Amino acid sequence: MNLVFLGPPGAGKGTQAVGVCEKYNLPHISTGDILRGEIKQQTKLGLEAKKYMDAGQLVPDEVVIGIVASRLTQPDCQNGFLFDGFPRTLPQAEALAEKVEIQMAVNIDVPDENIINRLSGRRVCKSCGATYHVDNHKGQTCDSCGGELIQRTDDAPETVANRLKVYHEQTSPLIDFYQSKGVLKSVDGTRSIDEVFAEICAILDKEFSK
Ligand code: ADP
Ligand code: ADP
Ligand code: ZN
């Protein structure tokens, strides 16, 4: 199973990827998580990427494509993977297509009016990266590890508007890209986390039992 999750920031890609990867035993490859890891370790790459991320812009294609190319050589990718947040531009999608065949692109569809609330209420665990929302998680600590919950700096309202603009200009064309390859599946991302999960699993079970 070589999978890609598409969708605007805050669509629930990361939330769903965790459950799907656990259920189907796939490595979860989030370019956003990899970049935040580089920032935390203050690598040269991290310091470079941070400027773009804080502005709500995309990190340059060649940087992200390089990260993904090296990740794909790891042994855990041999039997499939799930990309969350990659590709985000046509050149990224084309570079990926040269390396591996993507069997399914799941587009998690959420309109802009829901995104503001999703991102402004998002909280992430500083220690393990687990994601919560203030509407359904009371308290300041992580359920799974007890770590402190923080707000991502790029979830500030000024940055969110820019990220949505960038999504519509640069990432949403990938819906047509994967549609034309015959591998696009769309799910209604406005339903509950459990309902979206059930819908994605039903699609995967049907497609991969063939
Ligand atoms: P979200 O979960 O809100 O969609 P991510 O964690 O996937 O956000 O990404 C956070 C930021 O990291 C993006 O706004 C962008 O600056 C950078 N980034 C992540 N993935 C990519 C990518 N594939 N191409 C370019 N920039 C990326
Ligand atoms: P993405 O990775 O696409 O940026 P996340 O998985 O981080 O999105 O989800 C963004 C925010 O929305 C988080 O606070 C998360 O808890 C919440 N969320 C995710 N899926 C749903 C859903 N189906 N309904 C309501 N809130 C959701
Ligand atoms: Zn945690």
Side-chain angles (χ1 to χ4, degrees), residues 4-152:
V4 159
F5 274 7
L6 297 177
K13 301 180 297 296
T15 301
Q16 298 299 338
V18 170
V20 168
C21 285
E22 196 186 333
K23 179 165 176 187
Y24 297 93
N25 196 22
L26 296 170
H28 173 196
I29 307 176
S30 158
T31 43
D33 285 349
I34 295 171
L35 291 166
R36 281 184 290 276
E38 296 283 335
I39 293 176
K40 211 170 177 179
Q41 290 174 48
Q42 301 194 312
T43 63
K44 191 164 166 265
L45 195 159
L47 294 175
E48 174 70 12
K50 188 174 173 11
K51 293 185 287 188
Y52 296 96
M53 293 167 76
D54 283 348
Q57 284 165 357
L58 295 181
V59 174
D61 285 338
E62 56 274 21
V63 174
V64 183
I65 291 168
I67 289 174
V68 166
S70 96
R71 184 65 185 82
L72 276 174
T73 64
Q74 306 277 306
D76 65 340
C77 290
Q78 297 320 304
N79 296 316
F81 49 78
L82 193 166
F83 277 120
D84 158 15
F86 179 90
R88 260 179 155 97
T89 64
L90 279 172
Q92 290 179 18
E94 279 153 6
L96 181 63
E98 276 174 24
K99 293 192 192 311
V100 285
E101 189 195 347
I102 297 302
Q103 278 124 12
M104 194 186 292
V106 178
N107 177 41
I108 306 181
D109 193 14
V110 176
D112 286 6
E113 53 268 31
N114 300 44
I115 295 301
I116 312 295
N117 172 57
R118 290 271 181 103
L119 294 182
S120 60
R122 171 158 68 184
R123 297 293 181 270
V124 292
C125 174
K126 211 172 157 179
S127 310
C128 77
T131 301
Y132 299 92
H133 195 282
V134 290
D135 287 352
N136 44 39
H137 181 89
K138 305 298 162 208
Q140 312 293 319
T141 52
C142 174
D143 289 345
S144 66
C145 81
E148 182 195 350
L149 299 189
I150 55 164
Q151 183 166 30
R152 272 170 48 177

Side-chain angles (χ1 to χ4, degrees), residues 3-7 103-109 174-175 178-179 182-188 199-200 202-204 206-208 210:
L3 307 178
V4 159
F5 274 7
L6 297 177
Q103 278 124 12
M104 194 186 292
V106 178
N107 177 41
I108 306 181
D109 193 14
L174 297 183
I175 296 174
Y178 285 112
Q179 175 86 62
V183 297
L184 186 80
K185 301 280 175 192
S186 274
V187 300
D188 176 1
E199 196 180 338
I200 294 173
I203 292 170
L204 293 178
K206 187 168 168 231
E207 200 60 28
F208 291 98
K210 281 179 189 166

Side-chain angles (χ1 to χ4, degrees), residues 190-209:
T190 63
R191 296 163 72 194
S192 73
I193 291 176
D194 290 349
E195 285 169 326
V196 176
F197 182 68
E199 196 180 338
I200 294 173
C201 293
I203 292 170
L204 293 178
D205 290 341
K206 187 168 168 231
E207 200 60 28
F208 291 98
S209 65

